[in-house]
Amino acid sequence: MLEVNPRISNVRIINSHMEISRTFSKHLELRIGCRAKTRIPKDSEAKKAILNVELTIAATENDDMKIELEADVFFEFNQIPDDYDKVMEEKCMPIAQERLFHMLDDILIIMGYKGLGLAEKVSY
C-alpha cells in the first residue's frame, strides 16, 4: 500500500455544549470520550474525505465540567486511499483529535478559562 499523507483542509464545528461550574476545582480528573464516522466522497477520483468527530469531556467525580463538541474535519490526501476506514482511524483521527483539542482550548480561553492542554497530554 502506498503512503497516504492526510492534511486537514477545513474544520467545521457542528455542535458545542459546555457546562462549567463557577467553583470548579483547578485539578479536575477528566474522562474523555471520542466517536468518529467517516464520510467518503461520492466521486471515486476525489482525494478527500470527512471525519465527523464527537468529543465528550467530563469531570469524573462531580458535575464541575461537561463539554460536548461535534465537528466535521475535512481531509485531503496526496493520493486516493485503498482503505478509507483504516486511513481515517489510524492516520486522520489522531490529527483531528489534536486539532479539536487546540480549538477547544482557544474557545475556553475566549470564555475566560484556562485551556485544558489535552493535545499535549493525550498520547496516540
Side-chain angles (χ1 to χ4, degrees):
M1 177 165 51
L2 297 172
E3 185 67 27
V4 176
N5 296 314
R7 76 170 190 81
I8 294 175
S9 61
N10 191 24
V11 177
R12 184 176 298 146
I13 294 177
I14 304 300
N15 186 24
S16 65
H17 181 83
M18 297 182 197
E19 295 177 33
I20 303 172
S21 170
R22 286 184 175 95
T23 59
F24 77 90
S25 167
K26 301 227 186 274
H27 302 287
L28 289 176
E29 186 173 320
L30 299 174
R31 179 180 64 251
I32 302 169
C34 188
R35 293 188 321 183
K37 293 179 262 183
T38 300
R39 293 183 15 218
I40 60 173
K42 293 176 182 167
D43 176 7
S44 62
E45 298 299 313
K47 298 177 185 175
K48 58 185 177 181
I50 300 170
L51 189 64
N52 175 262
V53 181
E54 295 177 21
L55 284 177
T56 56
I57 301 166
T60 57
E61 297 184 17
N62 52 39
D63 292 332
D64 281 355
M65 180 180 289
K66 183 176 182 187
I67 298 171
E68 297 172 350
L69 186 69
E70 180 182 0
D72 284 340
V73 183
F74 297 79
F75 281 93
E76 292 181 353
F77 307 99
N78 61 331
Q79 63 185 13
I80 298 170
D82 293 334
D83 183 348
Y84 275 100
D85 289 330
K86 183 175 180 180
V87 168
M88 295 301 268
E89 180 182 341
E90 293 178 2
K91 293 188 177 255
C92 296
M93 187 60 196
I95 297 168
Q97 196 172 23
E98 181 177 5
R99 173 72 66 89
L100 291 175
F101 285 154
H102 283 296
M103 290 176 77
L104 176 60
D105 279 352
D106 291 343
I107 292 167
L108 289 170
I109 290 167
I110 289 168
M111 292 172 62
Y113 297 98
K114 265 184 89 173
L116 297 173
L118 296 175
E120 293 79 19
K121 294 176 186 173
V122 176
S123 61
Y124 303 105

